Structures are given as C-alpha cells and as structure tokens.
Amino acid sequence: MNTTTDSHAVADAASASLQHWRLERSADGLVTATLDRACASANALSTAVLSELAQLLDQLDAAPPKGLIVRSGKDAGFIAGADIDEFGALASAEDAQALVTRGWQLFNRLAAVGYPTLALVRGHCLGGGLELALACRYLLVVDEPGTRLGLPEVMLGIFPGWGGMRRLPQRVGGPVALDLMLAGKTVDARRAYKIGLADACVPPRVMAEAARQLVVSGQPRKPLPFVTRLLSGPLRSVVAAQAKKKVAARARPEHYPAPYAIIDLWARHDGDALAAPELIDGIVRSPTARNLVRVYHLQERLKSFGKAEGVAAARHVHVIGAGVMGGDIAAWCALRGLTVTLADQDIARIAPAIQRAHTLFKRRLRDPLLQRAAADRLIPDVDGCGAARADVVIEAIVENVEVKRELFRRLDAQMRPDAVLATNTSSLRLEDLRDVLARPERLVGIHFFNPVAKMPLVEVVAAEGADPAMLARAAAFVRQIDRLPLPVKSAPGFLVNAVLAPYLQAAMRCVDEGLSPETIDEAMLAFGMPMGPIELADTVGLDIALAAGRSLVSDVSEPPTCLAERVAGGRLGRKSGSGFYTWRDGKAVKATPGAVPQGLAQRLVEPLLVRAQELVDSGIVADAELADAGVIFGTGFAPFTGGPLNYRKNSHA
Ligand code: NAD
C-alpha cells in the first residue's frame, strides 16, 4: 500500500488489462495515461487503441482523478494518426460511418469529462493524434525539432472527422484552421503556441513538471481576437467562399473532393461529419482516397530503400559542377545538414550557385542563426580538395563523355576507396563513363530532377554489375537529404525521362495538327496533371526536348515540325523568353484554351502509359508499383489516379 506522501507514481491496478495504454496514478491525485502501442515503433489510433481509451475513461469515471495527462511512451513522437490500413479496408458505407462515429463520439466524451485534461505533445502529433490532443482541455507542446502538429488527412483524400474540423477552428480561428487543414500543413512547437493551438511551449527538461502544473491550473484559454471570432462566426460563409476559391486554383473537386468537403462541413455543420452522411461515404471510400492511400504506401516503399542496415550517415558531400544542377544539389545538401564542398572550373562559376543557395536558406529556414550555419556548411572549393575527404562525390558537370571520363580518372586517384562516386548524368551510359576507374562497379547514378528543391524523387541508377553496397549507400544518402530514392537500371532516360519523352512528343504532334498549345495543356490539366505538356516542354527547354525526343522516342524518325522550327529559330522556351508560349516574369502568357476535343487527354497520356509498362516488362524499374511511384514523384502525374499503371489497369478494367 502506498502510504507515503511522495509523488512516486504507481501503476493503476486496472491498467493491467490494457495492452496499449499505461495508467499511473500519483500521490497528488493526477493520472498519467501513456500510449505505448504494442508491437509498433510509433503510435497510431487503431480500433484496439481507441477501445482501450474508452475502457480507460470508464475506469476514471469510477474514480475521477484531479487531472489527466495524456502522453506517449514512444521515442518516435506522440501519435502519428489513425491506422491507415483500417480505413483503407472499409467495405461498406456503414463501415465508413461507424469509423467516423467511433472517433467522433469517443473524443467528445474525452472533451466532456469532469476533471481537467492535458495532452503532453512531443514529436509528431498528426491527424487523429491531434484530434485526440484537441479534445483535451490543455495542449502542451515540447519545443524540440521533431515536434510537428497538423491535420494532414486531406493528403490521403479524407477529412479530420474525429472532431478536428470543429476543435481546430475553435482554438485557432477558422481562417488559420482551414489554411492548415486544406493544405495538410504541419506546424512546429513554437508556431503551434503562437497561433493558439498550444497553451504552452516548454523545453524537454521541464515538460513533466509543466504538464502537472498546467493541468490543475484552472487557467482559461486565451480568447481569439475579435476579428477572428467574427470570421469564425457570423462571417463564416465568407471565409468558406474564399477558401473554396483558393482550393479551386490547386485542385478540381472531381479529382479531390476532400478539401471542398472540409470547407462545407465546417461552414454548415460546425465540423460534424455525421450531420452529412452522404459526404462520409463519398469521401472516405472514394477512389481518390483509395489511390492516395496507395500513393502514401508507395512513398513509404521508396523511403524504405534508404534504410539499409549498417550504413553510416554521410557527413561530407563533394559536388563537382556548380551549374543549374550541381549548384542546387550542393545547396540542398547543405540545407539538410551536410558539409558540402562545391567545385567548378573557377570561382566565378561557383559564385552564382552560392547566391542561389543563400536565397534557398532564407526561404526555408526562418532562424537567421540556422541560415548562417547552412551557409557556413557550403564551401566553395575551386581546387577540388574536398574530393579526398568526402563520403559521397557527385559529378554534375557538362554532359560530355570525354570530359566526364577525364574527371573520373582524376577522382579515382583522389577519393577514399569506401566513398560513393555518383554521376548526375541524364543521358549518358554509365557503362561508357566508368571503365576509367580501377573498380568500375563503384560508379552509381544519382539522378536529380530540376528544380532540386521541389522535386522529391531521385533515381538511383545501377549499371550492369554495379556494387550493391554502393547502391545501398547511394539510396541511404538520398533518403538522408529527404528525397525519395527510386532504384532503376541504367537505360536511356531511366524511368522518368523515358516516359515523359513520348508524352511530350505526342502533345507536340497535336500542335502540328493544328491544336493550340493552350487547348492541349488544358486537356491534361483537366486530366489532373500539375502542368500541361506544352508548358512542360517550354520549361524543360525545347533544345533539350528535341534531343530527348531523338534519343528516347524510337518509333518516329522526324521530330515534330513545331518543335524543330522553334529550336532552329532560337525559341527555346522559358529560358529564351519564348517557345510555344511567350514567357514573362517566369510565367507563360496563355490565351484562352479552345474546346478540348473528346478523348484528347486519353490520346496524349497513352504513350506514357505504354512506355511505363514497357519499362516494367524490361526490368528497368522493378515492378508496376515502383513505376507508379517514380512517375508520380518524378513528374507530378495526377496522384489521385494512383499512378499511370494503376490508372491504366482501372480504366481498362
Ligand atoms: P550546367 O551547364 O548548368 O553546369 C555544368 C557546370 O559544370 C558548369 O558550371 C561548368 O563550368 C562545370 N564544368 C564543366 N566541366 C567541368 C570540369 N571538368 N570540372 C569542373 N566543372 C566543370 O549543366 P547542368 O544542367 O547543371 O547539368 C549538369 C549535369 O546534370 C549533366 O550531366 C546533365 O545531364 C545532368 N542533369 C541536368 C538536368 C537539368 O535539368 N539541367 C537534370 C538532371 C540531370
């Protein structure tokens, strides 16, 4: 029996029956409920976890504590969200309804308990996890880099139906809440405190004590400013209309119904999805949600390629070539915490890259000290001394076999034998570059896309007989800098450029047939592409598109006339100010598109689909899932379709 007055916590006898939660009652009458989901490295709100939470609340009803603190037992963070696989497996409208009802009612119950409650949030607190935290009276965040809060359900094609659409706007006001929910954005601890999502923000060493004090403090919540209350109350419909306009600029309702549903549910039903059952089934079991869950799993699969056992993190990367690609690769690596040496032929060629890097650091890092630290990590290195020390060396010089071979000959003598040697080449055969090396199998491809800071995919290229250990380290490096590694075999255009080339070619043939670029682009925007193919060709550069077409589209001899003429006339697209479009301030000037002919999108996308299948059949990419992942993350191919081959399967079904 605990007769002392010390505050040493004792496990609650009843918690013995729980598998995922631990209840501890301390002498001062506070109870701590720790979620430590069995057999998992991170917490997710599965059916079992939620039903145990209900049991736990039953127990506390019988013996109410002075206060309840909810926290996580995982190093990984608070709660990552609901269990994605459970909602992916919903069989009927009733199942979907039941899933929403369960969380909605349980969190309402938590919000209504008679004793004060507090969520102690450290690390990620997302989706259902944040909805649980929002149902507590107080939300305390721990100020450390891993802490992120948000309701990113929209990224999976669904909505935060367990109270998030009601309680987040109540805490931070409608406009900020919509901004977060509609873009699936997350905020760090300080920002969470600043916008009123968290009641307190404390450093890790005082978190437990701060939580104990706050939960029993009786402290009222800070009221929202008057204007925010107005916008969340009487002017809600105005805010909703504006939000819809903003969403419409990014996503069409027929492709992405969830953001529109979130706005309506908040504006009309104060976030209660149960008040609009038709929306629940229409969203939760929609093809879009199913495909976006697929995309989520594809992304996880790509991430897993970067997780090889026993691969030490790279600390120093040496980049040669400070041009468009090398400069941006170097900047990105420095942003992600690596020491980077950047070499080129002279300092004048490195200077613009350093300038661009500073702009990137400013945009991505708010804290001036962090900006400065990133800038310090990026070191101009005209003499190329960094090559001898680097863990990873990336070549991004001019696309010329002889020049690259000459460089590799020199590097081979300089580099550490265990360091990764990679080329960023888009079109040259690795086999033609590597025979100057003492161990040719050491060369791998690490193929980035332009612009580096925006494109999540990086192809990790294996030439015949490449050293698997080097490939594993290359993939781990790609993951380390927060990109998604896609293993591909060495072949012209790898995956992404190989599927794009026939697609762009088909689009330009339509220009030859008399369709306007605007009409063609509109057809593919309506299909769900982030950018039309003609605008994409202008962006890539028409000279590059011409060369790519020649080497990657085998079934035609002559390039499209419209393309050849423009290149001959020096109209190379965005970089020269005009191509298919005139470019002003980095934007294409477009006329109103004409009526889109029936079946045009289908005709344009077909060559891409066919090529993707061929690349799977020939083993350039290992399977259809990976082809879909690569094309989505490498080109932005309509994610709601689940990828080109998934789309092909479903549309031919
Ligand atoms: P770029 O012309 O912008 O830059 C090349 C840089 O390399 C120049 O600054 C040049 O001075 C430097 N350089 C040339 N020879 C050198 C040498 N021997 N030693 C040191 N520096 C040298 O070219 P880029 O567009 O950045 O392309 C570089 C590589 O990346 C190419 O292999 C290209 O195929 C590949 N790539 C380009 C893109 C793209 O969209 N531009 C995308 C993916 C991959």
Side-chain angles (χ1 to χ4, degrees):
M1 201 167 78
N2 185 8
T3 51
T4 59
T5 53
D6 75 36
S7 63
H8 185 71
V10 291
D12 196 286
S15 78
S17 65
L18 303 177
Q19 286 191 20
H20 305 292
W21 292 86
R22 262 194 325 273
L23 266 192
E24 282 159 331
R25 225 171 248 272
S26 57
D28 55 9
L30 293 181
V31 165
T32 301
T34 304
L35 175 58
D36 196 350
R37 190 183 180 196
C39 310
S41 58
N43 285 328
L45 298 176
S46 62
T47 305
V49 166
L50 290 180
S51 66
E52 283 195 12
L53 176 59
Q55 276 180 46
L56 187 158
L57 292 178
D58 290 341
Q59 291 167 22
L60 296 179
D61 280 351
K66 262 176 81 181
L68 169 67
I69 294 169
V70 181
R71 60 181 294 173
S72 159
K74 303 286 188 206
D75 292 335
F78 185 69
I79 299 171
D83 187 323
I84 286 190
D85 294 327
E86 285 186 9
F87 103 82
L90 294 171
S92 67
E94 290 70 35
D95 286 357
Q97 178 90 7
L99 180 98
V100 175
T101 308
R102 190 166 55 230
W104 170 260
Q105 288 181 346
L106 180 62
F107 290 171
N108 279 351
R109 180 178 172 199
L110 173 61
V113 295
Y115 44 87
T117 53
L118 176 144
L120 194 174
V121 172
R122 174 179 204 189
H124 53 233
C125 171
L126 304 173
L130 180 55
E131 294 181 290
L132 189 158
L134 284 165
C136 295
R137 183 178 301 175
Y138 299 110
L139 201 166
L140 180 139
V141 286
V142 179
D143 185 12
E144 59 183 14
T147 299
R148 305 281 330 169
L149 298 89
L151 295 174
E153 280 85 345
V154 78
M155 312 293 273
L156 297 174
I158 54 170
F159 47 64
W162 292 350
M165 288 183 287
R166 174 171 294 181
R167 295 195 179 93
L168 184 65
Q170 283 173 350
R171 274 188 181 250
V172 304
V176 173
L178 285 182
D179 186 42
L180 291 174
M181 291 190 289
L182 297 178
K185 271 189 220 162
T186 60
V187 292
D188 63 14
R190 288 183 198 186
R191 181 106 191 111
Y193 178 58
K194 195 154 174 235
I195 62 177
L197 170 54
D199 302 282
C201 175
V202 300
R205 72 196 142 76
V206 300
M207 63 179 189
E209 193 46 39
R212 304 180 78 79
Q213 286 181 16
L214 181 58
V215 70
V216 292
S217 66
Q219 176 186 311
R221 192 174 300 162
K222 237 174 43 202
L224 289 170
F226 175 69
V227 177
T228 310
R229 266 183 290 153
L230 215 59
L231 294 173
S232 310
L235 295 182
R236 201 176 270 212
S237 58
V238 178
V239 173
Q242 275 174 352
K244 259 190 204 167
K245 243 182 162 168
K246 224 168 124 185
V247 168
R250 287 199 314 254
R252 301 185 187 219
E254 63 274 26
H255 301 152
Y256 298 99
Y260 296 90
I262 291 174
I263 299 171
D264 283 342
L265 287 169
W266 173 68
R268 297 209 196 130
H269 305 292
D270 197 23
D272 179 3
L274 298 175
E278 72 291 352
L279 271 184
I280 295 185
D281 194 45
I283 299 283
V284 178
R285 291 198 314 124
S286 63
T288 293
R290 198 177 49 242
N291 287 333
L292 291 180
V293 169
R294 171 184 162 83
V295 173
Y296 170 85
H297 285 302
L298 295 180
Q299 179 169 357
E300 292 302 300
R301 191 164 164 216
L302 292 184
K303 285 182 183 172
S304 73
F305 290 117
K307 280 186 195 143
E309 288 282 314
V311 174
R315 283 196 303 228
H316 175 183
V317 52
H318 181 68
V319 180
I320 306 140
V324 174
M325 294 307 288
D328 286 5
I329 293 167
W332 182 257
C333 291
L335 178 78
R336 302 299 311 176
L338 280 103
T339 297
V340 184
T341 40
L342 177 58
D344 204 304
Q345 302 175 54
D346 53 60
I347 191 74
R349 293 177 198 253
I350 301 177
I354 303 281
Q355 282 256 305
R356 285 206 311 279
H358 287 193
T359 311
L360 175 77
F361 301 153
K362 258 204 187 120
R363 219 177 46 232
R364 295 289 184 125
L365 304 166
R366 286 169 192 234
D367 184 342
L369 283 177
L370 294 180
Q371 290 170 16
R372 170 84 178 276
D376 287 348
R377 285 193 292 271
L378 177 55
I379 306 158
D381 180 18
V382 182
D383 302 327
C385 305
R389 291 192 309 271
D391 304 301
V392 177
V393 173
I394 301 177
E395 168 278 310
I397 66 170
V398 55
E399 192 75 330
N400 175 302
V401 177
E402 273 321 309
V403 183
K404 285 195 201 271
R405 283 166 65 91
E406 179 49 39
L407 174 67
F408 287 147
R409 203 171 279 129
R410 268 186 287 130
L411 283 173
D412 205 23
Q414 265 178 305
M415 284 175 57
R416 281 181 5 218
D418 62 322
V420 175
L421 173 59
T423 171
N424 186 46
T425 183
S426 293
S427 60
L428 304 178
R429 283 164 39 90
L430 269 63
E431 290 78 358
D432 294 338
L433 302 175
R434 66 180 183 174
D435 54 8
V436 295
L437 302 172
R439 285 186 303 122
E441 65 278 11
R442 90 180 292 188
L443 183 71
V444 297
I446 299 187
H447 185 236
F448 287 84
F449 296 93
N450 187 12
V452 174
K454 284 220 178 104
M455 301 301 291
L457 190 82
V458 175
E459 290 170 323
V460 175
V461 186
E464 192 63 40
D467 179 351
M470 285 297 167
L471 290 166
R473 291 180 52 196
F477 161 73
V478 167
R479 195 59 213 123
Q480 191 188 339
I481 57 169
D482 198 26
R483 305 282 84 170
L484 300 170
L486 174 74
V488 291
K489 291 219 174 108
S490 173
F494 313 123
L495 170 71
V496 171
N497 289 340
V499 301
L500 278 179
Y503 164 64
L504 297 189
Q505 181 86 241
M508 292 185 282
R509 300 250 174 243
C510 288
V511 176
D512 280 352
E513 288 173 19
L515 283 177
S516 77
E518 285 86 351
T519 305
I520 295 163
D521 280 349
E522 172 54 28
M524 293 322 293
L525 290 173
F527 178 87
M529 299 299 197
M531 180 186 275
I534 300 292
E535 183 174 346
L536 181 59
D538 257 6
T539 307
V540 169
L542 298 186
D543 49 342
I544 294 182
L546 182 66
R550 283 214 171 100
S551 65
L552 299 175
V553 188
S554 53
D555 50 345
V556 280
S557 45
E558 287 305 310
T561 315
C562 59
L563 175 64
E565 279 175 5
R566 282 174 173 79
V567 173
R571 293 162 63 195
L572 302 182
R574 183 182 162 151
K575 62 185 167 195
S576 73
S578 97
F580 286 99
Y581 296 107
T582 302
W583 287 77
R584 227 169 268 144
D585 299 330
K587 286 215 167 86
V589 182
K590 290 188 178 178
T592 314
V596 175
Q598 185 84 26
L600 178 58
Q602 205 49 48
R603 176 181 159 197
L604 292 174
V605 83
E606 190 61 22
L608 185 158
L609 308 181
V610 169
R611 192 82 188 96
Q613 185 61 52
E614 286 168 3
L615 292 169
V616 173
D617 295 342
S618 60
I620 302 306
V621 56
D623 56 50
E625 259 197 2
L626 290 182
D628 279 348
V631 179
I632 290 175
F633 293 108
T635 73
F637 187 98
F640 74 91
T641 62
L645 295 180
N646 190 58
Y647 169 79
R648 190 171 198 237
K649 193 174 79 197
N650 292 333
S651 61
H652 290 193

